[in-house]
Amino acid sequence: MQPNNSSAYLIIRQGHRWTDVFRLEPGRPLIIGRASSNDIPVADERSSRKHAEVFFEENDWKVRDLGSRNGTYVDGIRLDSAKTLAPGSQITVAACRMTFIHSLDDVVPPLESDESSPQTTSHTQAEIPAIIHRQSKSSILDPAALGLPGVDLKSPVSSPVANRTASSAPRSMPAIATELLQLAFDVARESSVSSAAELALNRLMTATGCQAGGVIKLSQPSNTAGPIHAKESQILAAVQRQGKAYHPVAETLVANVLRDDTAILARNVGTDANLLGSSIASTSPSSASHIMSTSSVIVAPMRIQDQTFGLIHLYSRTGEPDLTPDDLEITLAVADVLAVTLDNLSRQQSLEVKLKSSRNRISELEQQLGQSAEWIGPSLALKQIRDQVQRVGPTHATVLIRGESGAGKELVARAIHDYSQRSNGPFVALNCAALTPTLLESELFGHEKGAFTGATDRKIGKFEQASGGTIMLDELGEMSLEIQAKFLRVLEGKAFERVGGSKPVQVDVRVIAATNRDLEQAVSDGQFRSDLYFRLRVIELRVPALRQRPEDVMPLAEHFLQQFRSRSGHGPSGFSDRAKQAMLTYQWPGNVRELRNCVERAYVLACGPLAEPEDLALSYLHVPGQEHSNEPKPFATSYQEKTIDALEQEHIEATLAYTGGQKNRAAAILGIERSTLDRKLKRFQG
């Protein structure tokens, strides 16, 4: 019976020299044969592609022939069935001879030679193998592992020797798991790949007492086609102590690790020219001397989803304590922890790049659709409305937006939504004037199947669609009184029923209403409910007409022109002086919407590099309530000396004339109370 399942090895011999050592792991059979994908490839024509297998069964290591042409021999006897291996058993496959042992101490001479015995030193250098230990995964991360040596990943040590002494005592599995868990947490807090790699490497070097090491990202994953060159790989982190430079890992070591998908511990690497291959010849003399001084090396793969994308490389120089199999255990464990962290960080960075690109694309599309809340213009009136939006947006208050048609009420409503806590929810806009009362009720509240002719399916209304977000009802003054009553219930937080339904529907919606109609006059005329008026008018914002902020005309016109040019790359690049003067003196009864249409007309019709007034084709349509003439009038009028009181009286009288003497309506336009208007009028008469 085998006393220790975890310490079994196969030593490969060629002639009188050891060439490699394989550590056997329970549950991982070792395949021997001519195929290069085997665990132990045998380059001999007498060897079959899959010749023999070493496996663990019933607490014993066994070997069996896999139907080879020339047979497998154990201690000179050809196998006809599986045979249990004993320490010292000799396995022969073609020209390859392998010795089965339980411990390297039984056959390996002491690694640290006695200075008083030159003969012993010569013998050691001639007999010690290059690669003395292989391991595919760390037992530390195996829940079944017990009694493993512990390594402190957090506390720094004063010297490698002190660290060896501290780490030699056995420690319970929970203690080791706790230290690895702490490392995982610390590494996960890092925000970049390089900082995470450097932190893990520093902890690992402190734990092993190693003086030099690096974390390397391969030029391409191990499962991709094409060769992997260590020189083309990226060094994510490199640490060197005692003033000596870090030397990258040799390509032959990288190839060895990737070929067998195992971590390796090698000693006296610099004395084995066959292992280093061309890496010595390709380095400078100073680098070559550094390679020759290397005492022991660990190379452990960092793997994600069965592919190796990086390596952890540690080495000790001559005169420093050699790295041990225990160091290989902890290096493999740290490599697995670091691999997950680096993979997550790489995915996060990739997602951030894609998210930024998507946001830029969405912004471009919104600009093309004219849906982005752009505040273009230097006017004081625009600044005031923008400041009001920023204050109102974060609240939950219902907002009533007043302004002429085309002045930008929907843009203001969308900006309020963007500034609110509901910005991630839907923004639904509906023009109440575009639908008949029956269709408007169905659009707002939805309907059940069969509610009326043509209702073939259930329809979800705008209020349900906007739940969790904002609904904008444009031209609210056009609602019928019946729908106003149902709408008032929703504003008060009560449930509603779909058309033709009886099941109450509860929604969480912020309402923004917009109108260009004189709601005060509509209330007086009995066309609009007064209770709905007061419920809507929690916050009232007035969007100034474009003629009230003439300094915004040209910035808006140039912005629209650039939008049209960006789509096709041609068209006029600007406006002539005559066109600018025409736009500045024009009254813009259609407001910003009319300006945009005029600019688009000029973009299409202009034949020269600059748009002319004829290309704009301004319409001098007379709009009731606006002073307007068929001929443009000068933008600036001559100055007349007047007091503030005189200007106030003229403006109030003009407002009363505009409203036909209706004081309530005039007070609403002036933004004052009716009682205040009466006092001012009495003062003017006195």
Side-chain angles (χ1 to χ4, degrees), residues 218 220-222 258 261 301-304 306-311:
L218 298 177
Q220 57 186 4
S222 59
L258 298 181
D261 193 27
M302 294 190 297
R303 295 166 291 205
I304 289 292
D306 298 328
Q307 69 174 9
T308 300
F309 71 91
L311 304 167

Side-chain angles (χ1 to χ4, degrees), residues 154-208:
K154 296 180 289 183
S155 304
V157 296
S158 57
S159 68
V161 175
N163 186 67
R164 298 283 184 226
T165 303
S167 64
S168 59
R171 189 179 301 177
S172 65
M173 187 63 190
I176 301 170
T178 299
E179 292 165 0
L180 280 174
L181 180 62
Q182 182 62 48
L183 174 63
F185 276 123
D186 292 342
V187 172
R189 293 190 186 102
E190 298 298 322
S191 58
S192 67
V193 170
S194 59
S195 61
E198 186 173 356
L199 173 62
L201 182 60
N202 273 300
R203 295 279 183 86
L204 181 58
M205 291 178 62
T206 298
T208 61

Side-chain angles (χ1 to χ4, degrees), residues 385-416:
I385 191 68
R386 181 168 61 244
D387 293 341
Q388 291 173 347
V389 166
Q390 292 175 353
R391 292 195 301 270
V392 171
T395 70
H396 298 281
T398 303
V399 181
L400 175 62
I401 303 176
R402 311 284 288 267
E404 296 179 6
S405 179
K409 296 188 293 295
E410 184 172 347
L411 183 143
V412 173
R414 187 176 292 275
I416 293 173

Side-chain angles (χ1 to χ4, degrees), residues 477-497:
E478 306 301 326
M479 275 187 180
S480 66
L481 292 174
E482 182 182 355
I483 300 179
Q484 289 178 29
K486 200 168 184 179
F487 176 48
L488 181 61
R489 289 179 55 85
V490 181
L491 283 179
E492 292 175 348
K494 299 179 180 179
F496 61 89
E497 295 83 29

